[in-house]
Amino acid sequence: MRRSRLSTCAEPAVRNFTYRGLPTQVIFGHGTISDLGSVLEQQGVRRALLLSTPQRAQQALDATRSLGDTIVASFAGARMHTPIDVTASAQALLEASAADGVIAFGGGSTIGLGKALAVRTGVRHIAIPTTYAGSEMTPILGETADGRKTTRRSADILPHAVLYDVALTLSLPSAISGTSGINAIAHAVTA
């Protein structure tokens, strides 16, 4: 007599798991910078502080020009490893301008500054990466004070929205593309 296949098979090994998706809104494509106004609206941002490094300041202003009065101030002093004195200066400008959100335009230094401001003040953080570093998708914030780096990890550190526009990365010099690509791999491992 032939036994049914179902009765002879061992119960499959099932591993239970829980998945928690990132709460970050992600917009990806070519030319998506034109969606920034609607992203800000969806996030409830009416008055934004634009963040960048000195090297990206003009590109950041050009990319956000269409937002008009929504950009109430800009801070072009982001630095590597998010020094707390830089964060304090940016926070003073954020509060003086009554901004309810930050737009971090650039690589990991700028996105780190956006994370630091958002976690300290509760404002909305919209990240616009221009490198491949990947900091925008990690719940990690590294900050420096008195030459010492500390790291925090919390879901509250993640940006509220990330707008990837591949056109913004096409002009990266190959050395920066390579370095930020390797940094992206490191972020993927630590996240």
Side-chain angles (χ1 to χ4, degrees):
M1 179 173 175
R2 189 172 171 174
R3 297 174 95 183
S4 99
R5 183 176 179 151
L6 291 176
S7 64
T8 61
C9 291
E11 289 251 343
V14 176
R15 295 183 192 254
N16 296 350
F17 69 92
T18 301
Y19 172 75
R20 180 176 178 177
L22 297 177
T24 304
Q25 175 188 14
V26 176
I27 299 91
F28 180 88
H30 195 283
T32 56
I33 193 72
S34 63
D35 297 333
L36 181 55
S38 61
V39 170
L40 292 172
E41 186 177 319
Q42 291 166 9
Q43 293 294 326
V45 176
R46 290 171 181 70
R47 299 176 56 80
L49 171 63
L50 179 62
L51 306 173
S52 70
T53 59
Q55 299 83 359
R56 291 271 184 196
Q58 191 58 53
Q59 185 184 15
L61 289 170
D62 291 344
T64 59
R65 190 173 318 282
S66 66
L67 298 175
D69 297 3
T70 304
I71 304 294
V72 295
S74 63
F75 182 85
R79 290 196 355 238
M80 191 182 305
H81 304 300
T82 320
I84 60 167
D85 60 323
V86 171
T87 301
S89 296
Q91 186 172 343
L93 181 57
L94 175 83
E95 292 167 357
S97 64
D100 59 2
V102 293
I103 300 170
F105 185 96
S109 298
T110 305
I111 291 167
L113 178 58
K115 288 176 174 184
L117 290 171
V119 79
R120 281 174 170 75
T121 65
V123 299
R124 307 302 280 178
H125 177 199
I126 289 74
I128 304 172
T130 59
T131 67
Y132 308 121
S135 174
E136 68 281 357
M137 295 306 287
T138 68
I140 299 168
L141 172 60
E143 299 177 287
T144 53
D146 301 322
R148 185 168 176 243
K149 185 173 181 179
T150 59
T151 304
R152 305 195 262 174
R153 177 187 291 260
S154 168
D156 295 335
I157 291 171
L158 283 164
H160 297 91
V162 178
L163 195 150
Y164 290 103
D165 187 332
V166 296
L168 297 174
T169 65
L170 296 177
S171 63
L172 278 175
S174 59
I176 292 175
S177 288
T179 302
S180 72
I182 289 171
N183 197 22
I185 292 168
H187 277 129
V189 170
T190 61

